[in-house]
Every structure is written in structure tokens, then in C-alpha cells.
Amino acid sequence: MSPRLELLHQAPAPTAARLAPPLLFVHGAFCGAWCWREYFMPWFARQGYDCWALSLEGHGASEGRDYLAAIGVDDYVRNLDAALKQLPAAPVMVGHSMGGYVVQQYLSRHKLPGAALLASVPPGGLASSSLRLLTQAPALFLKLNMYQHGLYDPEFIELKDMLLSPDAPESAVELLISRCQQESQRALMDMTLVNPLANRPLTRLPALVLGAAEDRLVGPEDVVATARRLDVAADILPHLGHMMMLDTRWESAAEWLANWLERQFPEDWDQALSA
């Protein structure tokens, strides 16, 4: 039996609606659909996009908190499949961090009109970024692991330094403190013990890969590795931290994504599709 999943929806005004696929936002580790509701969903709805955001199993208001540790990446992929059945059409998936990795796994088995990966865990998983964090910021690496095991609650300034840019608003940090949760240990292991030879090829599709210049968790080399797998160029946006959808300059990421969407799905997109 499939779990009940939280699926937030924000429709555009009828007069502003675009002839484009809906957007399905997929959050990263320790988060939920709530991270998209602050800025991205209202902003993209104003641009005419039909916006949806999924809380993966065990996250947000979705079922599964009581067995979170046993949930794996394959379960998250099945969550995407279940969410798509509730959408009016196949979406462009917008995956952040772990959500970007889950979207990649989905794309190895299914087709989509397009995908945008923001600060995504790369195809090789977390091993390289964990090693980099261990060597460059061992205290941060230790605290992340302690937080995952419920042994540490990060202080305000530490959470800001970890996930946002230096001038991020206090409200963004307070939201993260109040809403972040533990992640599935099995899912984290799935993304750490990755066999590169097991990565299935992805069907070619319109894709955008964005990184953040001040991201302490997903480095430029990780962004490039993800872009290489999708056969596109990597774009690194300045003055943004890992949680780019909540950071001070979140709108620069939204505009970059919107410009890409407009190029992929122009006003006569549906006519070209049916021609």
C-alpha cells in the first residue's frame, strides 16, 4: 500500500496561465515541500506556471516518519511516480540537493519534458563531497553527522554558515531551525555507497544544472559532474548558499530557471509539440 504523500499546489491565475508543463518541486535531505512554498511556488505561479511541491515519504506532512530510517532512494523514486499520477500532465521536475539525485534516478527509468537540478547531489553520490567537507571543514562534517543522529542541534550562526549566504535574512534561518528534520539513514547510505558502474544512462531531455557559489555542501566539481551526466553546461550562481530557494538572492535562481523554462517551452510550444 502506497503511503499518503503531501503534495502542495499553487495554480496560476487563469489569465496568466502558460501553455507549458506543470512544475514539480522536489526537496532535499532534512527538508519538505515547505521549502518551496515560501518564495518559489508563489513566484512561479505569478509567471503562469502550475506549481506542485512534494514532501517525500517520511518528510513534511507525508506518512512515514515512524519508519523513516528504513526508507531508501528507490522509495523516493516511487514517491515521484505516485505524485505524477495526481498531476494534470507530465511535469518539469525541479530537484534540490538530495531531490536532484532522486530525480536523476527517476530519469534513468522514465521520460519527462524536462528537469532542473539545483545544488544536486552528483551521480557519484555523497562520497566526494563528504571527503571534501571532512578535509576542509572537519568541525562542520562532525556536527552534520551528530545532527543526523539526534546528538546535536545547530546554533543559529552555524546553520546560517552551513546552508545560506552571509547576508541571509534571519527569517530564513529561523524557518530552517523550526522545520528541518532528520533524514533517512538508509537514503543517506544509498547516496554514499554508490557504484558508479550501476548508474543507468539517462534519456536525453532538456535539462538545467545550477550550483551556488557559496555552497559548502555541493561544490562546483559536483555540479559539473551532474551537468556532464545530463550532457549540458553547469551554471554557478554567485552570492547564494546551498538553500538557494530561501537565500537572500533566491530570485536570481528563480529568474535563471524561468529564463531556461521560457527557452524550452515558448508560447507556441504546444503547437510545435502537436505538429
Side-chain angles (χ1 to χ4, degrees):
M1 183 175 178
S2 299
R4 181 188 56 78
L5 299 172
E6 178 183 36
L7 190 60
L8 305 181
H9 181 216
Q10 188 151 3
T15 55
R18 288 176 177 266
L19 294 173
L23 305 181
L24 177 61
F25 295 98
V26 186
H27 65 83
F30 309 101
C31 288
W34 53 264
C35 70
W36 303 106
R37 185 165 48 191
E38 291 296 305
Y39 300 121
F40 265 48
M41 291 182 74
W43 192 90
F44 278 96
R46 289 195 297 272
Q47 314 311 310
Y49 293 97
D50 189 26
C51 297
W52 303 74
L54 171 68
S55 284
L56 296 168
E57 192 170 352
H59 297 74
S62 291
E63 290 182 341
R65 289 285 187 111
D66 53 339
Y67 56 88
L68 177 64
I71 301 172
V73 167
D74 282 346
D75 296 304
Y76 293 156
V77 172
R78 284 189 284 271
N79 294 164
L80 296 185
D81 206 30
L84 259 68
K85 293 183 172 78
Q86 300 183 53
L87 269 58
V92 171
M93 283 192 188
V94 182
H96 174 256
S97 195
M98 180 186 76
Y101 185 84
V102 175
V103 170
Q104 290 179 61
Q105 305 316 301
Y106 185 88
L107 290 172
S108 70
R109 311 169 197 183
H110 306 280
K111 292 182 179 180
L112 287 173
L117 306 182
L118 282 53
S120 176
V121 172
L126 293 170
S128 61
S129 58
S130 296
L131 180 60
R132 183 180 63 253
L133 198 61
L134 176 61
T135 55
Q136 296 179 2
L140 176 58
F141 178 82
L142 176 62
K143 288 175 180 178
L144 272 173
N145 281 276
M146 290 174 65
Y147 174 75
Q148 167 60 18
H149 290 90
L151 302 174
Y152 172 74
D153 288 324
E155 297 179 5
F156 183 96
I157 192 63
E158 290 174 329
L159 194 62
K160 182 177 181 179
D161 185 50
M162 188 189 308
L163 298 176
L164 299 163
S165 61
D167 63 350
E170 290 188 5
S171 59
V173 187
E174 289 167 353
L175 178 66
L176 291 170
I177 289 174
S178 66
R179 299 300 301 271
C180 280
Q181 62 169 82
Q182 286 185 300
E183 185 49 61
S184 162
Q185 192 62 39
R186 178 182 167 192
L188 292 175
M189 291 302 294
D190 286 347
M191 292 187 291
T192 302
L193 304 176
V194 176
N195 178 1
L197 300 178
N199 277 330
R200 304 180 187 180
L202 304 184
T203 303
R204 288 183 64 94
L205 81 167
L208 174 70
V209 177
L210 277 184
E214 297 186 30
D215 192 338
R216 300 193 67 184
L217 303 180
V218 176
E221 58 268 47
D222 298 322
V223 181
V224 169
T226 300
R228 188 180 301 120
R229 188 180 188 200
L230 289 157
D231 197 24
V232 297
D235 295 307
I236 310 290
L237 300 183
H239 312 301
L240 280 170
H242 184 68
M243 296 296 291
M244 60 175 71
M245 79 291 285
L246 294 172
D247 215 337
T248 307
R249 298 167 189 83
W250 65 268
E251 202 163 359
S252 65
E255 289 173 348
W256 198 280
L257 173 56
N259 289 336
W260 175 81
L261 286 166
E262 288 177 8
R263 292 194 299 273
Q264 306 308 317
F265 308 103
E267 290 184 6
D268 60 349
W269 166 75
D270 63 326
Q271 299 173 21
L273 195 64
S274 59

